[in-house]
Amino acid sequence: MHIPKQYLHDKLALLLASTNVFLAFLCMVLIVLRGSLGQTAGGYIVQYRANLGLSAFQKGSVVPILSFILFVAVMLAINLLLSIKTYPLRRALSLAILGLGALVLLLAVIVSNALLALY
């Protein structure tokens, strides 16, 4: 894939791209470290169902927790590819894609840590 020369010289685009990479790496590391994968006997809290009352927290295996890592990796790849592809057409669109990707990755960090803090 060809990366435009202007994209590599755009400081704001590189700042947003590196922010996305940092947030993705942070989310992956926090999931692995906070999850202590395989060390919980009762399982992980993977869902919250408000209509169940006292048993609103649903426990599950480690697979849904690990799916956050896959989600973050796919999200990062899609954001970077779309940003690189749209940069020659519209710089603002490319920067908007990177900015919204950073927001989604930040929310993934928050949600995964919230789920892992409950077990």
Side-chain angles (χ1 to χ4, degrees):
M1 180 178 69
H2 174 69
I3 300 174
K5 185 178 179 182
Q6 298 88 4
Y7 186 82
L8 294 175
H9 292 291
D10 191 351
K11 292 178 183 174
L12 185 58
L14 291 180
L15 175 71
L16 287 170
S18 61
T19 302
N20 282 345
V21 171
F22 172 74
L23 285 172
F25 181 72
L26 177 71
C27 186
M28 290 177 192
V29 168
L30 287 176
I31 288 172
V32 171
L33 291 180
R34 286 192 54 126
S36 302
L37 300 175
Q39 293 185 4
T40 58
Y44 296 93
I45 294 176
V46 294
Q47 293 179 5
Y48 174 75
R49 303 286 175 124
N51 60 345
L52 294 179
L54 293 177
S55 61
F57 294 108
Q58 300 292 315
K59 293 196 177 247
S61 67
V62 72
V63 175
I65 300 299
L66 290 178
S67 68
F68 271 105
I69 294 176
L70 179 66
F71 169 74
V72 167
V74 169
M75 202 64 209
L76 176 66
I78 289 173
N79 285 335
L80 290 178
L81 288 175
L82 280 176
S83 173
I84 291 170
K85 289 287 187 185
T86 59
Y87 191 83
L89 302 174
R90 293 269 182 215
R91 177 182 180 263
L93 177 62
S94 177
L95 296 179
I97 290 170
L98 287 173
L100 290 174
L103 176 66
V104 169
L105 291 173
L106 181 65
L107 289 174
V109 169
I110 292 169
V111 168
S112 65
N113 280 329
L115 284 175
L116 288 172
L118 293 174
Y119 74 92

